[in-house]
Amino acid sequence: QVQLVESGGGVVQPGMSLRLSCAASGFTLSDYGMHWVRLAPGKGLEWVALLRSDGNRKDYSDYVKGRFTISRDNSQNTMYLQMDSLGVDDTAMYYCARDDNRLDNAFDIWGQGTMVIVSS
Amino acid sequence: LMTQSPATLSVSPGERATLSCRASQSIRTNLAWYQHKPGQAPRLLVYGASTRATGVPAKFSGSGSGTEFTLTISSLQSEDFAVYYCQQYNNWPPITFGQGTRLEIK
């Protein structure tokens, strides 16, 4: 079964760090572009970061650039999002998603999400 | 910038809903629609502006190109009431979503 499962969310204080994980099953993570997308309370979906299939090109939204780092471990078939210098505006449900170039790079597989709360 | 309208749409079961998405510049047909229900993963409905994803029923229909796009949902049932997002992937990154349309039962 093709699926993504996120983990690692929690409650942290402003300025602290957190690492999210996205475990893939049923397909090879490195064959696809992979993304992190977040949904803050009362807001809409917001794209956060991209790791292309070659593993080299990484892109970030302006809101997280310089603070978040996307990576993957091919041996574990898992993607990560290292989040540093967290602020209250980073509070959100974080989803990982796969883009499929056979579908014009639309996001065809999503995880259930992991919640991050940044609060003092 | 992707702008969806209306923000909230109230429709009776059995009727048709029409959701709009406007791009600030041409994105050709590089647009997808997603359905999102509370506590669930977002679900891809349409890509390439008008191609239904695998397993998506024909009641969901996407159209448009350039800057104006529409998602039409016919014969609304209880399970169709959710938040719907459009997403452009014409010139990325960044990938951008609309702010969403909440489809609620009238």
Side-chain angles (χ1 to χ4, degrees):
Chain A
Q1 182 183 4
V2 174
Q3 67 174 1
L4 295 167
V5 178
E6 302 94 336
S7 61
V11 181
V12 295
Q13 294 182 332
M16 295 186 67
S17 299
L18 207 58
R19 189 178 82 155
L20 306 183
S21 299
C22 171
S25 58
F27 72 99
T28 301
L29 206 66
S30 58
D31 287 341
Y32 295 85
M34 295 297 300
H35 304 256
W36 287 97
V37 177
R38 66 186 181 184
L39 181 64
K43 297 192 176 182
L45 294 173
E46 177 191 11
W47 173 78
V48 173
L50 155 68
L51 177 59
R52 297 196 190 252
S53 57
D54 64 9
N56 293 322
R57 181 161 174 190
K58 306 173 183 181
D59 293 291
Y60 303 91
S61 77
D62 287 344
Y63 299 105
V64 307
K65 197 174 297 183
R67 298 188 299 122
F68 289 12
T69 303
I70 192 171
S71 64
R72 75 178 182 223
D73 183 337
N74 292 339
S75 67
Q76 298 294 317
N77 211 28
T78 298
M79 177 176 70
Y80 303 98
L81 186 68
Q82 176 67 40
M83 305 187 296
D84 298 323
S85 302
L86 284 162
V88 295
D89 289 345
D90 295 315
T91 294
M93 182 71 80
Y94 284 75
Y95 300 94
C96 59
R98 179 183 90 170
D99 83 60
D100 192 336
N101 58 17
R102 297 168 296 182
L103 308 180
D104 293 348
N105 295 107
F107 295 3
D108 66 331
I109 304 295
W110 296 68
Q112 297 280 351
T114 186
M115 189 69 197
V116 173
I117 298 173
V118 185
S119 175
S120 55
Chain B
L1 182 65
M2 305 300 293
T3 303
Q4 290 186 243
S5 61
T8 303
L9 182 62
S10 299
V11 183
S12 300
E15 294 189 341
R16 182 174 64 185
T18 302
L19 289 65
S20 297
C21 176
R22 174 177 293 178
S24 57
Q25 60 187 42
S26 176
I27 59 170
R28 298 180 291 177
T29 57
N30 294 311
L31 181 110
W33 289 96
Y34 300 86
Q35 176 192 66
H36 193 204
K37 298 178 182 179
Q40 296 186 18
R43 174 194 181 194
L44 174 65
L45 297 175
V46 170
Y47 63 93
S50 60
T51 303
R52 278 187 299 277
T54 302
V56 175
K59 63 186 302 181
F60 293 93
S61 176
S63 63
S65 66
T67 61
E68 300 286 340
F69 301 89
T70 300
L71 177 70
T72 302
I73 312 169
S74 60
S75 303
L76 283 166
Q77 299 177 314
S78 57
E79 60 264 30
D80 300 325
F81 293 95
V83 180
Y84 291 83
Y85 294 94
C86 61
Q87 174 209 40
Q88 74 81 20
Y89 45 85
N90 180 66
N91 187 17
W92 57 287
I95 293 161
T96 50
F97 293 89
Q99 78 276 25
T101 291
R102 181 177 303 277
L103 180 60
E104 62 178 30
I105 300 174
K106 186 174 183 180

